Structures are given as structure tokens and as C-alpha cells.
Amino acid sequence: MSWYEALIFGIVQGLSEFLPISSTAHIVITQMVFGYTFPGLSFEIFLHIGSILAVLLYFRKDVVEVVTGFFTFLTTRSSHHRTSFFFAIYILVATFLTGFLGLLLNDFVSDIMKTPPFIAGALATTGLFLILIERFHKYGSRTEKDMTFLDSIFVGLGQTLAVLPGISRSGATLITALYCGLNRDTAVRYSFLLSIPVILGSSVLAFDDIGGGAFASIGTGNLIIAFIASFIFSWIGIVWLIGFLKKSKLIYFAIYCFVLAVFVVTQLDPTVVVDVE
């Protein structure tokens, strides 16, 4: 891997991780365009850690508020921290549900689901639901204080669909949260904070895959370049998405998903089975 390829992979990961356009699809497409296959999961883990560091630092005040509120409510039962306590519970419920069902469903992800035609179909499905939630569903006004366990279960189930290559995790959680009647700000905040344990957990589970061979194949310098690029462009993606959703519509992401799906179908070899984890 050259340094500029490492840089491109980092940029692609960073920009696509938190946008509702499927980072997995983008990494796979980039691999196929370059004709490159990652040696194990080491490189992807570094990319994900860069993204998770960005969301942790950007939402550091929210993370501290939720964590301290959770433990403070446990000891004092203060009504002031009740919302933070249950918001933390809802994050844990959705995370547990995603992790449990994701492990079960992962065994059913067959080779046919790792081909460009399936990924294109999944991208188009993401785009379709973005249009449906934008055009045919009235936005709710519910905030964190109004959330229920049922909301976290629905969002957890939606997030589980991201085990399918091409289904966007951020898109699935955002669409489901909006469908449940949460307002945009709450849905976006919940989606971002929910990404922390999910991405961190999946990275930790795959940590055993890190080996010296992968480091030798990719190069320490390239790993550092990809990590920094992933962090910087994840931060840019977070800032841009939050600002974009305040004044624009999800339908533009839907159009992008459709265009990318067409590109995948027409430009990539439909018989290739990609290594998706």
C-alpha cells in the first residue's frame, strides 16, 4: 500500500462513517477500484479507531453529561439527572440488541451478500428509506425526555440491519429514530452517541486479528497516515452533517446512494466476492 492509498482510505472512511451512505460500501468500492485487499482487519481497526476518537472528542461534553448523569442518578436518584440516566440506558439497550442480533445474523451473511450487486441493492434500499422518511413521514417533536425503551429497541433493530453490506449504520439509526417520532436534533445526537459503543465494541472484538504481518504489509507510516486522515475527516463529516441537517434534507443523501448504486452495478465486476467484516 502506498502512502496516498492509505490517505485515500482514511479520507473515505472518515467522510462516510457518520453520513447515511454506508462506510462499508465505500471502503469496499475503494478496495475494488484500487484492486487492493486488506490483509486481515488491522487496517480497518485503525480506520475505525480514528473515527471513534473524532466522535468522542466532538461529543465529549455530551458523553461526560450522560456518564456522570447515569452514575449520579444511581446514587442520588436526583430528578435533575433522570434524563441522562435513561438516555444512557437507551444507548445500552440498543447496543446490546445490535451486538446480540448482529453476532447471530453475521453467520447468515452469505457470499452472495458480499457481491457488488447486493451492495448496490442495499445502497438503493438505504436511499429509498431516506426518501420515505423525508417525504412521507411527519417529523416528530419528542426529545430525550420523551424517549422510551421501545424507541431504543426499534433503533437497535434498525442498527442491526447494518450487518448487511451496503446498509448504512448511521442511516438506519437516523431513519428509525425519526420514524419513532424523535425530533432531528435528538435523533442525530442519539445516532452519534450510539456509534461509540458499537464501533468501539466491534473494534475490540476484532483486536485479536491485529498481527505483525499486517503491519509489515501495510507499513507503520501508512497506518499512521490512514489513522490521522480518518480522524480529521470523521470530524469534518460530523460537523458538516450536523450543519447540513439543520438547513437541508435527507433526500440529497438518497440521491447520492442511488448514483453510487448505479456506479457499483455498471462499473464493478458483479462476480467478485468482497471480504466484508
Side-chain angles (χ1 to χ4, degrees), residues 42-240:
S42 301
F43 189 59
E44 291 177 90
I45 290 173
F46 269 80
L47 293 177
H48 284 130
I49 292 176
S51 292
I52 207 63
L53 181 60
V55 75
L56 272 170
L57 289 178
Y58 186 87
F59 286 97
R60 59 191 180 278
K61 293 182 179 178
D62 299 81
V63 172
V64 170
E65 177 186 338
V66 171
V67 172
T68 56
F70 176 82
F71 288 106
T72 302
F73 183 82
L74 278 178
T75 56
T76 66
R77 290 294 191 273
S78 169
S79 60
H80 178 70
H81 298 286
R82 187 178 187 278
T83 299
S84 293
F85 172 80
F86 279 101
F87 194 62
I89 292 295
Y90 300 145
I91 290 174
L92 292 173
V93 169
T95 301
F96 174 80
L97 191 60
T98 299
F100 178 72
L101 294 179
L103 288 174
L104 293 179
L105 291 176
N106 195 51
D107 294 333
F108 293 95
V109 178
S110 62
D111 284 347
I112 196 172
M113 295 181 183
K114 300 178 182 180
T115 58
F118 184 90
I119 292 174
L123 283 167
T125 300
T126 296
L128 175 61
F129 276 95
L130 286 171
I131 290 177
L132 291 175
I133 200 69
E134 184 72 67
R135 292 296 187 185
F136 303 104
H137 183 74
K138 184 178 179 180
Y139 281 119
S141 57
R142 297 168 60 225
T143 64
E144 296 168 21
K145 294 186 292 186
D146 308 308
M147 286 184 68
T148 66
F149 281 101
L150 196 58
D151 294 325
S152 63
I153 291 173
F154 278 133
V155 174
L157 290 173
Q159 185 171 240
T160 302
L161 294 176
V163 73
L164 301 176
I167 296 293
S168 166
R169 187 214 65 84
S170 57
T173 54
L174 190 58
I175 289 169
T176 310
L178 291 172
Y179 179 80
C180 289
L182 301 181
N183 63 29
R184 276 200 182 195
D185 290 341
T186 303
V188 169
R189 184 169 181 257
Y190 188 44
S191 176
F192 274 119
L193 293 182
L194 193 55
S195 72
I196 296 173
V198 170
I199 298 176
L200 194 59
S202 62
S203 298
V204 168
L205 288 175
F207 223 73
D208 289 342
D209 188 77
I210 292 182
F215 281 85
S217 175
I218 298 171
T220 303
N222 289 337
L223 285 172
I224 294 173
I225 289 172
F227 173 82
I228 294 174
S230 176
F231 170 76
I232 292 174
F233 283 90
S234 290
W235 186 286
I236 292 172
I238 293 168
V239 174
W240 183 81

